[in-house]
Amino acid sequence: MSTKQKSSVTKKDGEITRSERVSATRQTKNALKNAKEKAGAVVHIAISNRTTIELPAHLTKEEIAARIERYNKLRGSTV
């Protein structure tokens, strides 16, 4: 029985621990926060009633239209 307990405590190849997962999540959140701060002012564009995208506020209407077209082309419309 002690062998079974011992094997469940040891880390298997390829597995990550809870603290590693929490650390990775924290790093991802910080990277996203920093990227948003760098972007400055943004506008939210409604693609559908359930989907919005965030774009830099300094873009022209033509650039926004091009981004929306590219978004729809890459992801397709599900509505």
Side-chain angles (χ1 to χ4, degrees), residues 4 7 11 29 38 45 52 57 68 76:
K4 191 173 190 178
S7 66
K11 183 177 171 183
K29 286 181 180 180
K38 275 185 167 180
I45 306 295
T52 61
I68 292 170

Side-chain angles (χ1 to χ4, degrees), residues 17-54:
T17 63
R18 180 183 173 103
S19 63
E20 290 171 334
R21 188 171 57 246
V22 168
S23 176
T25 301
R26 195 173 293 135
Q27 288 174 351
T28 303
K29 286 181 180 180
N30 286 337
L32 182 59
K33 181 181 173 186
N34 291 338
K36 284 187 173 192
E37 287 175 358
K38 275 185 167 180
V42 294
V43 293
H44 293 267
I45 306 295
I47 301 296
S48 71
N49 61 346
R50 293 178 20 181
T51 305
T52 61
I53 59 174
E54 198 173 80

